[in-house]
Amino acid sequence: MAPVHIISPINVGHIDDVIELSKTKPDTIPQRFVRDITERPTIATLTPNKAPIITTPTHNNHHMPIIDFSNLSKHNTHELFLHELLNLATACQNWGFFQVVNHGVDLNLMESIEKMSNEFFMLPLEEKQKYPMLPGTIQGYGQAFVFSEDQKLDWCNMLALAIEPQHARNPNLWPKKPEKFSETLEEYSREVRKLCENLVKYIAIGLGLKEEAFDSMFGEAVQAIRINYYPACSRPELVMGLSPHSDGSALTVLQQAKGSPVGLQILKDGIWIPVHTLPNALVINIGDTIEVLTNGKYKSVEHRAVANENKDRLSLVTFYAPSYEVELGPMPEFVDANHPCKFRRYNHGEYSKHYVTHRLQGKKALDFAKIQTSNAF
Ligand SMILES: COC(=O)C(/C=C/C1=C(C)CCCC1(C)C)=C/O[C@H]1C=C(C)C(=O)O1
Ligand SMILES: O=C(O)CCC(=O)C(=O)O
Ligand SMILES: [Fe+2]
C-alpha cells in the first residue's frame, strides 16, 4: 500500500493554536478544550466493575522498570546479558513501558534536537504556519486526529513528520528554521532507528524467538516523529494534553525534554501512573503491532499526557512500525489451545490508515484487528 496521505473535505471548525492561547494566560479556557467531567485528568478511568479512581500525586509509588542497554551489548558477560534480557522481557510483559539508559543515542544529539525543537515552537505563529497540518492530514505543524467541529481539542501543538521510507516524506513540511533543524533531525532519527532495530532484536530473543524474527517481518520499517509541545495551562485540571491512546506502531521511543514537568501518564491496573523524567533516559513502549504479533502476550498500554499549570513541556516521539506492505497477524508461537487467536490478519498500511483517520480513543483503534468472540478475552 502507498504511504498514508489523507485529504478529505472535513469540517473541523476553528482550531486555536494553544501556544498563542497560553501566552494570553486566559482566566477562562475556551470550551473546545474543556473536557467533560468524566474525561478530566483528575479521574483515572471508569474500569468495568471498578469505581473511578482519583489520580493523585501519591499514586507514584509504582516505578516503571529501567533497562541498562549497555548490559545487552555483546561485550558483556553472558550472565549480565541474561539478567538484563529477563528484565526487558518482564518489563514488556508487566508494564508495556520501560525507560532505557545507556541506549547509545548520542546525548549531545538529544540535547541539540531538543533545543532546536524548543526554538521551532517559539517561532512566530506565521513562521510555523508555513508547515500546516491540514485537516485530515498527519504531517506538519498543528493538531492531529481532529475530525469534527464538536470534537474536544488537546492542549498541545505538534510537529509530525514521516522519516522513513524517504518517499513518505513531504519535504515542504520540514522546517527551514531554526537553521540545521532538518539535518539534526535526520541524524537523530538515524540513531533512534538503530536503537529500535536493536530493541526489536532483544525483545524477540526475550520471547524465545530468533533475533531477526520481527525485523525480517517488518520489511523496510516505517519511522515517523511527532514533537509535542504542551504549553502551561492556567486550568490544567480541565484540559487534556494528549488524549488517552495506545500507539499504532511496533515500538515507540519517547524523549522527555530536560527540565520538563512530569506529564506522561500510563494506565496500569486502572490507575493513571505518572512517568518521571530520568536524565538522559528514553521511554520505550510497546505498540499495537507487537501486541498483535504476540497475540496479546505483550500489550500496547494506554497512555496520555496532562498539562501543567506553570511550565511548558516538550516531548519527542519516534514511531517505529512495519512497512505498509506487510501482512500481520498473531505469530503461531503465541497461539494454542490456552491462547486462542485474538487478532485477524491484516495489512499494516490498512491499519495505519485506520489509525490516522480516527480520533485517539484509548485502545479503540485495535478493534480493527480484534476477533470479536465472546470468549476470546
Ligand atoms: C500525528 O501523527 C501521529 O501521531 C502518528 C503518525 C505517524 C505517521 C506519520 C507522521 C507519517 C507517516 C505515517 C505514520 C502513520 C507512521 C502516529 O504514528 C503511529 C500510528 C501508526 C499506525 C504508526 O505506525 O505509528
Ligand atoms: O508527550 C508525551 O509524553 C506522550 C506523547 C505520546 O504518547 C505520543 O505522542 O504518542
Ligand atoms: Fe503515544
Side-chain angles (χ1 to χ4, degrees), residues 133 138-139 144-145 158 160-162 222 224 226 248-249 319 321 324 348 352 355-356:
M133 184 184 284
I138 43 164
Q139 297 197 59
F145 305 107
M158 60 179 66
L161 297 168
V222 167
R226 177 157 93 193
S249 49
F319 302 104
Y324 299 117
H348 185 70
S352 298
Y355 189 95
V356 301

Side-chain angles (χ1 to χ4, degrees), residues 140-207:
Y141 173 79
Q143 281 240 6
F145 305 107
V146 186
F147 302 101
S148 77
E149 251 185 313
D150 49 11
Q151 188 182 329
K152 294 287 180 190
L153 299 175
D154 289 339
W155 194 263
C156 173
N157 279 129
M158 60 179 66
L159 174 69
L161 297 168
I163 306 287
E164 299 291 348
Q166 298 265 340
H167 66 82
R169 293 185 186 189
N170 180 345
N172 297 328
L173 296 177
W174 283 58
K176 300 200 174 37
K177 286 185 189 166
E179 212 192 321
K180 303 236 169 89
F181 177 85
S182 294
E183 50 191 275
T184 308
L185 178 59
E186 188 96 62
E187 223 182 308
Y188 172 78
S189 297
R190 260 199 304 275
E191 297 214 357
V192 173
R193 191 173 181 89
K194 266 188 250 150
L195 172 64
C196 292
E197 288 163 358
N198 286 324
L199 274 167
V200 293
K201 279 195 179 86
Y202 296 128
I203 291 175
I205 300 171
L207 282 163

Side-chain angles (χ1 to χ4, degrees), residues 340-342 370-377:
C341 190
K342 292 179 175 173
K370 267 188 192 152
I371 296 174
Q372 306 286 357
T373 58
S374 52
N375 58 0
F377 293 90

